[in-house]
Amino acid sequence: MTTILDGKKLSAKMTDELTQKVAMLDEKPHLAVILVGENPASELYVGLKKKTAEKIGIKSTVIKYPQNTDEKTVLDKINELNNDKNVHAILVQLPLPGQISEKKVIQAISPQKDADGITPENIGKISIGVEPYAYPCTPKGILSLLDEYNINIEGKHAVVIGRSNIVGKPLAQMLLNRNATVTICHSHTKNLTDIIKSADVLISAVGKNKLIKKEMIKSNSVIIDVGTSKVGNRVVGDVDFDNLFELVSYITPSPGGVGPMTIASLMENTYNLFKLSRNG
Ligand code: GUN
């Protein structure tokens, strides 16, 4: 029997719990989001983050810049937010326009205000098995989903397709920290189908519709779909869900799986960073 990993349901539970915790605070946590340019997907994501924050009682400020903004403007703003005691968490929506170095921008964010958990200090802490100030949101959301359904990955072969700094790489490290045997695949990987076939847990973060087909996967495996792409007006994942559903033990829908978990994790990070700012 196949179980759907219901990210919508779990994220609603998480945000309800956060709403109650935030209501007990004497000050609202404050998330600052920097958005550069007019990328429609980024605008959509930032809108969803703002809406969720407001629902919980978290204050959010979106700082919008035009596409041609220079790097210094963004770095100066991050510096200002780092020093602003009334801002507890900072997120720079990615991707950034080509004239701005994402690496420089990420390194400029204070690790104690790193809502995305992607600064070198936080990533480095995860790498050596130390608790970071915040975990990257999508990997954190995926692990929360696995925990909710009591899926133990110790000793299992976890295959991650995609090696981005915000999803693939930190997720691989976090799975490794839980004693999974981890393979990271990417656009240069040879024999991708053979590797996928050996996965007990498959996580696809590519953004290519129907990349993962029935004949590629191992029976009774766990399938996590992180990819998003558009078919017409519809947002779809990487996995050919309808055709392989019967074969697997657990699977995330897309949409309604990892996406809402990413946003709920961001809200948890914001709350935790607020608490950190209070407790030192
Ligand atoms: N772009 C797409 N997803 C994300 C995310 O989780 N965080 C940031 N900062 N940018 C993104």
Side-chain angles (χ1 to χ4, degrees):
M1 207 191 74
T2 306
T3 303
I4 289 185
L5 299 170
D6 191 341
K8 239 176 151 168
K9 189 169 151 197
L10 177 57
S11 65
K13 187 170 120 185
M14 287 161 65
T15 52
D16 281 352
E17 281 171 14
L18 273 176
T19 307
Q20 289 172 27
K21 287 204 237 175
V22 169
M24 317 257 283
L25 300 171
D26 51 11
E27 186 192 349
K28 280 186 178 181
H30 183 188
L31 169 69
V33 177
I34 296 178
L35 173 62
V36 187
E38 286 91 37
N39 179 329
S42 291
E43 285 183 339
L44 178 74
Y45 294 142
V46 168
L48 285 171
K49 289 167 186 175
K50 190 170 171 55
K51 204 172 129 195
T52 309
E54 277 165 8
K55 222 174 114 194
I56 293 171
I58 289 174
K59 179 178 173 188
S60 72
T61 305
V62 178
I63 301 140
K64 256 194 106 173
Y65 290 111
Q67 184 76 19
N68 62 0
T69 302
D70 63 14
E71 189 176 273
K72 186 173 181 305
T73 303
V74 176
L75 292 175
D76 285 350
K77 177 52 79 175
I78 292 171
N79 192 35
E80 182 192 314
L81 297 170
N82 282 342
N83 292 309
D84 185 341
K85 286 202 166 26
N86 297 313
V87 171
H88 310 104
I90 303 166
L91 179 148
V92 180
Q93 187 66 26
L94 304 174
L96 290 166
Q99 74 276 15
I100 304 174
S101 161
E102 284 188 4
K103 292 192 169 96
K104 275 194 198 163
V105 163
I106 289 167
Q107 289 182 83
I109 300 168
S110 160
Q112 284 95 337
K113 293 194 178 186
D114 176 15
D116 258 328
I118 55 171
T119 58
E121 184 169 334
N122 285 319
I123 292 292
K125 283 183 161 168
I126 293 168
S127 292
I128 60 166
V130 170
E131 192 76 12
Y133 297 116
Y135 284 96
C137 301
T138 300
K140 176 178 154 97
I142 291 170
L143 292 192
S144 299
L145 253 186
L146 295 177
D147 287 343
E148 176 72 8
Y149 289 84
N150 296 314
I151 299 168
N152 182 4
I153 59 167
E154 191 171 291
K156 299 279 168 60
H157 186 203
V159 172
V160 179
I161 313 177
R163 54 172 164 175
S164 70
N165 288 326
I166 59 173
V167 180
K169 281 193 265 181
L171 174 62
Q173 186 63 60
M174 287 159 71
L175 295 166
L176 187 60
N177 290 354
R178 290 190 171 202
N179 298 324
T181 302
V182 182
T183 303
I184 308 181
C185 301
H186 47 80
S187 52
H188 296 262
T189 298
K190 298 203 167 60
N191 307 322
L192 179 65
T193 307
D194 292 343
I195 299 170
I196 292 173
K197 192 84 195 170
S198 72
D200 300 308
V201 182
L202 177 69
I203 298 128
S204 185
V206 177
K208 194 167 169 198
N209 185 30
K210 297 196 177 165
L211 172 73
I212 308 299
K213 297 190 177 62
K214 181 180 175 179
E215 55 276 14
M216 294 176 169
I217 56 153
K218 187 172 177 176
S219 309
N220 297 317
S221 53
V222 177
I223 310 285
I224 310 284
D225 193 351
V226 187
T228 52
S229 55
K230 270 194 148 183
V231 174
N233 276 333
R234 230 163 31 98
V235 176
V236 295
D238 291 348
V239 175
D240 188 4
F241 184 95
D242 291 340
N243 285 316
L244 59 73
F245 178 82
E246 296 276 346
L247 259 184
V248 301
S249 56
Y250 295 92
I251 187 165
T252 59
S254 181
V258 175
M261 291 302 297
T262 297
I263 296 181
S265 301
L266 172 66
M267 299 302 136
E268 284 189 342
N269 281 352
T270 302
Y271 175 81
N272 291 339
L273 294 173
F274 169 82
K275 294 293 270 185
L276 175 77
S277 77
R278 288 292 167 275
N279 302 333

